Amino acid sequence: MSRYSNHAPPLLDRLQKLAQSIALDIEAGRPIDPAEPPRVHKLDERLDSETMARVVAEYEAGGSSESIGALFCLSKRSVIKILREAGVKVRYPRMTEAELRRATMLYSEGNSLVEVGKRLGREHSTIYKALKRAGVRMRDTHGRE
């Protein structure tokens, strides 16, 4: 092994220590924990139909996808996926005129899209799309003119 790898001595040391640790556990009669079962990532395998229906009901009652995600320990993206699969039209809150004016002013002052987004509590991609829709000339992202 050492012929082909620069990491062989430290790796061999770690493997020997691990083998000694396992041997000591076996001698002491301590059970060796089996590997954790694989984590299920698919939503339809993790959630039952009743939970998915509750997610849809919460959204239709006016809850945001973020708050619903926090309630059910899901990501915002997972909540939106459940809603779309259930045929629910997803709301996209547009920026108000006041927010758009403030974003335009901040961006024209030289702030980045990320900085403008942080100040307005929005994602940078939302700021970008709103400014483009409003006809604001966007700067080159690499600082070129």
Side-chain angles (χ1 to χ4, degrees):
M1 181 184 239
S2 63
R3 183 179 300 175
Y4 301 107
S5 173
N6 293 333
H7 304 290
L11 180 62
L12 287 174
D13 289 342
R14 288 175 52 198
L15 288 173
Q16 287 172 343
K17 287 179 183 176
L18 178 63
Q20 289 171 354
S21 173
I22 291 172
L24 290 174
D25 284 345
I26 291 172
E27 287 176 15
R30 287 187 289 250
I32 298 174
D33 291 336
E36 288 184 27
R39 192 168 164 195
V40 179
H41 293 283
K42 292 184 177 182
L43 285 173
D44 56 343
E45 292 177 11
R46 268 193 298 162
L47 305 174
D48 58 356
S49 58
E50 182 181 314
T51 306
M52 289 188 187
R54 287 178 42 215
V55 167
V56 171
E58 287 285 333
Y59 189 78
E60 289 176 338
S64 70
S65 53
E66 277 188 48
S67 65
I68 295 168
L71 183 66
F72 290 95
C73 298
L74 298 169
S75 68
K76 178 181 175 179
R77 188 177 190 145
S78 295
V79 171
I80 290 174
K81 182 178 180 185
I82 291 169
L83 295 171
R84 286 191 175 140
E85 288 176 355
V88 176
K89 185 167 173 34
V90 181
R91 301 183 299 265
Y92 292 101
R94 290 222 174 193
M95 291 177 62
T96 64
E97 287 297 320
E99 285 180 314
L100 183 57
R101 282 193 301 275
R102 178 129 169 85
T104 303
M105 181 190 70
L106 291 170
Y107 186 74
S108 64
E109 289 175 354
N111 291 298
S112 70
L113 293 171
V114 173
E115 291 166 343
V116 174
K118 284 181 182 176
R119 288 191 185 179
L120 296 177
R122 300 279 190 149
E123 292 291 322
H124 69 279
S125 57
T126 304
I127 302 296
Y128 175 79
K129 290 172 191 171
L131 293 177
K132 285 290 279 188
R133 199 177 313 115
V136 175
R137 185 171 180 264
M138 305 306 288
R139 294 188 300 268
D140 180 26
T141 58
H142 299 288
R144 298 180 294 243
E145 290 297 322

